[in-house]
Amino acid sequence: MTASTKEQRFQAMVLPHLNSAFNLARWLTRSQPDAEDVVQEAYLRAFKFFDSFHGEDGRAWLLGIVRNTFYTWYQQNKTQAQSTLFEEELHSIKSDNYATAQSADNNPESLLIQKDSQRQMQHALESLSVEFREVMVMREVEYLSYKQIAGIIGIPIGTVMSRLGRGRKQLAEILSSTNRDA
């Protein structure tokens, strides 16, 4: 494969997934600058090893590289990563339903309630361990299939389902305790 062909194929198969890669890295690192570093390193690795990619799902392949790059970064920066604050503005969970509800009901009280709910969800998701947070983000934010998640992480589909179930349960417990404390 010539350099020009490789670049064109890489641009077509991998570059369109930059937002997904950054989103996953941001949730895993809990920091925009660290996520940028992880994604940059992941893209360098992806390009370097692109000749070995023979599949059709560039997104899943790239997110696997982002995940592996994160774990390498995490091992190198473990103490710093544990004390990094979550940047709420960067981790806005906004679905189409949220945007629709927000535009339909712009009274200050409703907006405040929605903002508080969003903040609580972000805090709860941040509180999950990395193994649960990564599958939750891949499934609920990036909408990957169980099969894609299993391939990215290198675990059986049953384990993906188990981690999602346990992650959701922990998320619900965190959110209910937050609501009881309020």
Coordinates of all heavy atoms in Angstrom, one line a residue, residues 86-133:
F86 N -13.1 16.5 37.7 CA -14.0 16.3 36.6 C -14.4 17.6 36.0 O -14.8 18.5 36.8 CB -15.2 15.5 37.0 CG -16.1 15.0 35.9 CD1 -15.7 13.9 35.1 CD2 -17.3 15.6 35.7 CE1 -16.5 13.5 34.1 CE2 -18.1 15.1 34.7 CZ -17.7 14.0 33.9
E87 N -14.3 17.9 34.8 CA -14.6 19.2 34.2 C -16.1 19.1 33.6 O -16.3 18.6 32.5 CB -13.6 19.5 33.1 CG -12.2 19.6 33.6 CD -11.2 19.9 32.5 OE1 -11.6 20.2 31.4 OE2 -10.0 19.7 32.8
E88 N -17.0 19.6 34.4 CA -18.4 19.5 34.1 C -18.8 20.0 32.8 O -19.6 19.4 32.0 CB -19.2 20.2 35.2 CG -20.7 20.0 35.1 CD -21.5 20.5 36.2 OE1 -21.0 20.5 37.3 OE2 -22.6 21.0 36.0
E89 N -18.3 21.2 32.4 CA -18.6 21.8 31.1 C -18.3 20.9 29.9 O -18.9 21.0 28.9 CB -18.0 23.2 31.0 CG -18.5 24.2 32.0 CD -19.9 24.5 31.8 OE1 -20.4 24.7 30.6 OE2 -20.6 24.6 32.8
L90 N -17.2 20.1 30.1 CA -16.8 19.3 29.0 C -17.5 18.0 28.8 O -17.5 17.4 27.8 CB -15.3 19.0 29.1 CG -14.4 20.2 29.2 CD1 -13.0 19.8 29.5 CD2 -14.4 20.9 27.8
H91 N -18.2 17.6 29.9 CA -18.8 16.3 29.9 C -20.3 16.4 29.9 O -21.0 15.7 30.6 CB -18.4 15.5 31.2 CG -16.9 15.2 31.1 ND1 -16.4 14.3 30.3 CD2 -15.9 15.8 31.8 CE1 -15.1 14.2 30.5 NE2 -14.7 15.2 31.4
S92 N -20.9 17.3 29.2 CA -22.3 17.5 29.1 C -22.9 16.3 28.4 O -22.6 16.0 27.3 CB -22.6 18.8 28.3 OG -22.1 19.9 29.0
I93 N -23.9 15.7 29.1 CA -24.6 14.6 28.5 C -25.9 15.2 28.0 O -26.8 15.5 28.7 CB -24.9 13.5 29.5 CG1 -23.7 13.0 30.1 CG2 -25.8 12.4 28.9 CD1 -23.9 12.0 31.2
K94 N -25.9 15.5 26.7 CA -27.1 16.1 26.1 C -27.6 15.2 25.0 O -26.9 15.0 24.0 CB -26.8 17.5 25.5 CG -26.4 18.5 26.6 CD -26.2 19.9 26.0 CE -25.9 20.9 27.1 NZ -25.7 22.2 26.6
S95 N -28.7 14.7 25.2 CA -29.3 13.8 24.1 C -30.3 14.7 23.3 O -30.6 15.8 23.7 CB -30.1 12.7 24.8 OG -31.2 13.2 25.5
D96 N -30.8 14.1 22.3 CA -31.8 14.9 21.5 C -33.0 15.1 22.3 O -33.6 16.2 22.2 CB -32.2 14.1 20.2 CG -31.0 14.0 19.2 OD1 -30.2 14.9 19.3 OD2 -31.0 13.1 18.4
N97 N -33.4 14.2 23.2 CA -34.5 14.4 24.0 C -34.3 15.6 25.0 O -35.2 16.3 25.2 CB -34.8 13.1 24.8 CG -35.3 12.0 24.0 OD1 -35.7 12.2 22.9 ND2 -35.1 10.8 24.5
Y98 N -33.1 15.7 25.5 CA -32.8 16.8 26.4 C -32.9 18.1 25.7 O -33.5 19.0 26.2 CB -31.4 16.6 27.0 CG -30.9 17.7 27.9 CD1 -31.3 17.8 29.2 CD2 -30.1 18.7 27.4 CE1 -30.9 18.8 30.0 CE2 -29.7 19.8 28.1 CZ -30.1 19.8 29.5 OH -29.7 20.9 30.3
A99 N -32.3 18.2 24.5 CA -32.4 19.4 23.8 C -33.8 19.8 23.4 O -34.2 21.0 23.5 CB -31.5 19.3 22.5
T100 N -34.6 18.8 23.0 CA -36.0 19.0 22.7 C -36.8 19.5 23.9 O -37.5 20.5 23.8 CB -36.7 17.8 22.1 OG1 -35.9 17.3 21.0 CG2 -38.1 18.0 21.7
A101 N -36.6 18.9 25.0 CA -37.3 19.3 26.3 C -36.9 20.7 26.7 O -37.7 21.5 27.1 CB -37.0 18.3 27.4
Q102 N -35.6 20.9 26.5 CA -35.1 22.3 26.9 C -35.7 23.4 26.0 O -36.1 24.4 26.6 CB -33.5 22.3 26.8 CG -33.0 23.6 27.4 CD -31.4 23.5 27.4 OE1 -30.8 22.7 26.7 NE2 -30.9 24.4 28.2
S103 N -35.8 23.1 24.8 CA -36.3 24.2 23.9 C -37.8 24.3 24.1 O -38.4 25.4 23.9 CB -36.0 23.9 22.4 OG -36.6 22.7 22.0
A104 N -38.5 23.2 24.5 CA -39.9 23.3 24.6 C -40.3 23.9 25.9 O -41.4 24.5 26.1 CB -40.5 21.9 24.6
D105 N -39.4 23.9 26.9 CA -39.8 24.4 28.3 C -38.6 25.2 28.8 O -37.7 24.7 29.4 CB -40.1 23.2 29.2 CG -40.6 23.7 30.5 OD1 -40.9 24.9 30.7 OD2 -40.9 22.8 31.4
N106 N -38.6 26.5 28.5 CA -37.5 27.4 28.8 C -37.7 28.2 30.1 O -37.0 29.2 30.3 CB -37.2 28.3 27.7 CG -36.4 27.7 26.5 OD1 -35.7 26.7 26.8 ND2 -36.7 28.1 25.3
N107 N -38.6 27.7 31.0 CA -38.8 28.5 32.2 C -37.6 28.2 33.1 O -37.0 27.1 33.1 CB -40.1 28.3 32.9 CG -40.2 26.9 33.6 OD1 -39.4 26.7 34.5 ND2 -41.2 26.1 33.2
P108 N -37.2 29.2 33.9 CA -36.0 29.1 34.7 C -36.0 27.9 35.7 O -34.9 27.2 35.8 CB -35.9 30.4 35.5 CG -36.7 31.3 34.6 CD -37.8 30.5 34.0
E109 N -37.1 27.6 36.3 CA -37.1 26.5 37.2 C -36.9 25.1 36.5 O -36.1 24.3 37.0 CB -38.5 26.4 37.9 CG -38.6 25.3 38.9 CD -40.0 25.3 39.6 OE1 -40.9 25.9 39.1 OE2 -40.1 24.5 40.6
S110 N -37.5 24.9 35.3 CA -37.2 23.7 34.6 C -35.8 23.6 34.1 O -35.2 22.5 34.2 CB -38.1 23.6 33.4 OG -39.5 23.5 33.7
L111 N -35.2 24.7 33.7 CA -33.8 24.7 33.2 C -32.9 24.4 34.4 O -31.9 23.6 34.2 CB -33.5 26.0 32.6 CG -34.2 26.4 31.3 CD1 -33.8 27.8 30.8 CD2 -33.8 25.3 30.2
L112 N -33.2 24.9 35.6 CA -32.4 24.7 36.8 C -32.5 23.2 37.2 O -31.4 22.6 37.5 CB -32.8 25.6 37.9 CG -32.0 25.5 39.2 CD1 -30.6 25.9 38.9 CD2 -32.6 26.4 40.2
I113 N -33.7 22.6 37.1 CA -33.8 21.2 37.4 C -33.1 20.3 36.5 O -32.4 19.4 36.8 CB -35.3 20.8 37.5 CG1 -36.0 21.5 38.7 CG2 -35.5 19.3 37.5 CD1 -37.5 21.4 38.7
Q114 N -33.2 20.7 35.2 CA -32.4 19.9 34.2 C -30.9 20.0 34.4 O -30.2 19.0 34.3 CB -32.8 20.4 32.8 CG -34.2 20.0 32.4 CD -34.7 20.6 31.1 OE1 -34.0 21.5 30.5 NE2 -35.8 20.2 30.5
K115 N -30.5 21.2 34.6 CA -29.0 21.4 34.8 C -28.5 20.6 36.1 O -27.5 20.0 36.0 CB -28.7 22.9 35.0 CG -27.3 23.2 35.3 CD -26.6 23.5 34.0 CE -25.2 24.0 34.2 NZ -24.4 23.9 33.1
D116 N -29.3 20.6 37.1 CA -29.0 19.9 38.3 C -29.0 18.3 38.1 O -28.1 17.6 38.5 CB -29.9 20.2 39.5 CG -29.5 19.6 40.8 OD1 -28.3 19.8 41.2 OD2 -30.3 18.8 41.4
S117 N -30.0 17.9 37.3 CA -30.0 16.4 37.0 C -28.8 16.0 36.2 O -28.2 15.0 36.4 CB -31.3 16.1 36.2 OG -32.4 16.4 37.0
Q118 N -28.4 16.9 35.2 CA -27.3 16.6 34.4 C -26.0 16.6 35.3 O -25.2 15.7 35.1 CB -27.2 17.7 33.3 CG -26.0 17.5 32.4 CD -26.0 18.6 31.4 OE1 -26.7 19.6 31.4 NE2 -25.0 18.5 30.4
R119 N -25.9 17.5 36.2 CA -24.7 17.5 37.1 C -24.7 16.3 37.9 O -23.6 15.7 38.1 CB -24.8 18.8 37.9 CG -23.6 19.0 38.9 CD -23.8 20.0 40.0 NE -25.0 19.8 40.7 CZ -25.1 18.8 41.7 NH1 -24.1 18.0 42.0 NH2 -26.2 18.7 42.4
Q120 N -25.8 15.9 38.5 CA -25.8 14.7 39.3 C -25.4 13.4 38.5 O -24.7 12.6 39.0 CB -27.2 14.5 39.9 CG -27.6 15.4 41.0 CD -29.0 15.2 41.5 OE1 -29.7 14.3 41.2 NE2 -29.4 16.2 42.3
M121 N -25.9 13.3 37.2 CA -25.6 12.2 36.4 C -24.1 12.2 36.1 O -23.5 11.1 36.1 CB -26.4 12.2 35.1 CG -26.1 11.1 34.1 SD -26.4 9.5 34.8 CE -28.1 9.4 34.5
Q122 N -23.5 13.3 35.8 CA -22.1 13.4 35.5 C -21.3 13.0 36.7 O -20.3 12.2 36.6 CB -21.7 14.8 35.0 CG -22.3 15.1 33.7 CD -22.1 16.6 33.4 OE1 -21.8 17.4 34.2 NE2 -22.3 16.9 32.1
H123 N -21.7 13.5 37.9 CA -21.0 13.1 39.1 C -21.1 11.6 39.4 O -20.1 11.0 39.7 CB -21.5 13.9 40.3 CG -20.9 13.5 41.6 ND1 -19.6 13.9 41.9 CD2 -21.4 12.8 42.6 CE1 -19.3 13.4 43.1 NE2 -20.4 12.7 43.6
A124 N -22.3 11.1 39.2 CA -22.5 9.6 39.4 C -21.6 8.8 38.4 O -21.0 7.8 38.8 CB -24.0 9.3 39.3
L125 N -21.6 9.2 37.2 CA -20.9 8.5 36.2 C -19.4 8.6 36.5 O -18.6 7.6 36.4 CB -21.2 9.0 34.8 CG -20.7 8.2 33.6 CD1 -21.1 6.7 33.7 CD2 -21.1 8.8 32.3
E126 N -18.9 9.7 36.9 CA -17.5 9.9 37.3 C -17.2 9.0 38.5 O -16.0 8.6 38.6 CB -17.3 11.4 37.6 CG -15.9 11.6 38.1 CD -15.7 13.0 38.8 OE1 -16.7 13.5 39.3 OE2 -14.6 13.4 38.9
S127 N -18.1 8.8 39.4 CA -17.8 8.0 40.6 C -17.6 6.5 40.3 O -17.1 5.8 41.1 CB -19.0 8.1 41.6 OG -19.2 9.5 41.9
L128 N -18.1 6.0 39.1 CA -17.9 4.6 38.8 C -16.4 4.3 38.6 O -15.7 5.2 38.1 CB -18.7 4.3 37.5 CG -20.2 4.4 37.6 CD1 -20.8 4.1 36.2 CD2 -20.8 3.5 38.6
S129 N -16.1 3.1 38.9 CA -14.7 2.7 38.6 C -14.5 2.7 37.0 O -15.5 2.6 36.3 CB -14.4 1.3 39.1 OG -15.2 0.3 38.4
V130 N -13.3 2.7 36.6 CA -13.0 2.8 35.2 C -13.6 1.7 34.4 O -14.1 1.9 33.3 CB -11.4 2.9 34.9 CG1 -11.1 2.8 33.5 CG2 -10.9 4.1 35.5
E131 N -13.5 0.4 34.9 CA -14.1 -0.7 34.2 C -15.6 -0.6 33.9 O -16.0 -1.0 32.9 CB -13.7 -2.0 34.9 CG -14.5 -2.3 36.2 CD -14.2 -3.6 36.8 OE1 -13.4 -4.4 36.2 OE2 -14.6 -3.8 38.0
F132 N -16.3 0.0 34.8 CA -17.7 0.2 34.6 C -18.0 1.5 33.8 O -18.8 1.5 32.9 CB -18.5 0.3 35.9 CG -18.5 -1.0 36.7 CD1 -18.1 -1.0 38.1 CD2 -18.8 -2.2 36.1 CE1 -18.0 -2.2 38.8 CE2 -18.7 -3.4 36.9 CZ -18.3 -3.4 38.2
R133 N -17.2 2.5 34.1 CA -17.4 3.8 33.4 C -17.1 3.6 31.9 O -17.9 4.1 31.0 CB -16.5 4.9 34.0 CG -16.8 6.3 33.4 CD -16.0 7.3 34.2 NE -14.6 7.2 34.1 CZ -13.7 7.0 35.1 NH1 -14.2 6.9 36.3 NH2 -12.4 6.9 34.9

